[in-house]
Amino acid sequence: MVVADPRQQYDDLFEKCIEEEVDEETFGALEENEAFSAGWAVSAVVVDDSERVLLAYHGGDGSWLLPGGSVQPGESLRDATVREVREETGVSVKPDRPYAVVENIVQHGEDSRSFTFVLFSAHAITTEIGSELGTPDEPIEDADWFDDLPDNVFKREIAERVLERVRQGE
């Protein structure tokens, strides 16, 4: 899959590299992880006209997260963002621009697997939460609009940084 890396177009992205050493069993299970096999994943800080932020509740992790997921073959980062937000929340969005790129590298001994995670800002076209959230293999239990990020937000530091820039209109 050929994906246009946003780092080639934007020089003001928040960039981070997360490296993790795992045991053999955990590393082996990554073969079936869609993000690692795709190589790219996206999510979005979606705001509405009232500056509320859209989050999805992941029952497996017990945390709220910015809606998103893996990029499918032949799909652009923007198209993946639109699809993933709609799948997880039922809300239609228009991606604005990327604000963060996170390299995720998992290692076991000499072996490693990685994927690149791109975080977009997006504006809500519709605000009604859907009745069927997520896909059958993902435990999205709820979605809602928030004035502020709740305490149990996944990867809070990154979400806060992008939300702050979006709300400041940068």
Side-chain angles (χ1 to χ4, degrees):
M1 166 181 15
V2 177
V3 171
D5 190 325
R7 292 171 287 198
Q8 296 172 354
Q9 184 178 356
Y10 298 92
D11 61 2
D12 64 346
L13 299 173
F14 169 66
E15 293 186 56
K16 186 169 184 151
C17 182
I18 300 172
E19 295 184 68
E20 180 182 9
E21 180 78 28
V22 297
D23 61 48
E24 185 176 359
E25 182 180 341
T26 302
F27 188 79
L30 295 178
E31 264 186 56
E32 297 175 24
N33 183 297
E34 197 174 30
F36 285 96
S37 61
W40 291 89
V42 295
S43 72
V45 171
V46 180
V47 294
D48 66 5
D49 291 335
S50 300
E51 295 295 315
R52 297 179 303 168
V53 63
L54 178 64
L55 299 173
Y57 186 77
H58 190 278
D61 293 340
S63 62
W64 289 95
L65 51 87
L66 298 168
S70 300
V71 177
Q72 301 297 313
E75 195 173 42
S76 72
L77 296 174
R78 289 178 188 278
D79 289 345
T81 302
V82 170
R83 177 185 51 76
E84 285 288 346
V85 171
R86 186 175 298 125
E87 281 178 5
E88 293 187 355
T89 68
V91 174
S92 295
V93 299
K94 179 181 181 274
D96 296 318
R97 59 157 292 179
Y99 276 96
V101 175
V102 180
E103 292 290 338
N104 295 274
I105 302 167
V106 178
Q107 299 173 312
H108 175 70
E110 298 294 317
D111 295 326
S112 68
R113 292 198 169 103
S114 66
F115 70 92
T116 305
F117 177 76
V118 180
L119 185 60
F120 279 84
S121 63
H123 191 81
I125 296 170
T126 62
T127 57
E128 185 175 335
I129 302 296
S131 58
E132 293 184 31
L133 305 176
T135 58
D137 62 337
E138 97 188 308
I140 300 296
E141 295 178 2
D142 197 7
D144 208 347
W145 293 96
F146 292 83
D147 291 324
D148 296 300
L149 295 175
D151 290 337
N152 59 336
V153 170
F154 183 74
K155 301 290 185 192
R156 184 178 187 83
E157 172 200 3
I158 298 167
E160 282 178 331
R161 287 184 84 158
V162 174
L163 179 58
E164 182 179 325
R165 286 186 67 192
V166 168
R167 285 181 170 165
Q168 291 175 354
E170 292 181 21

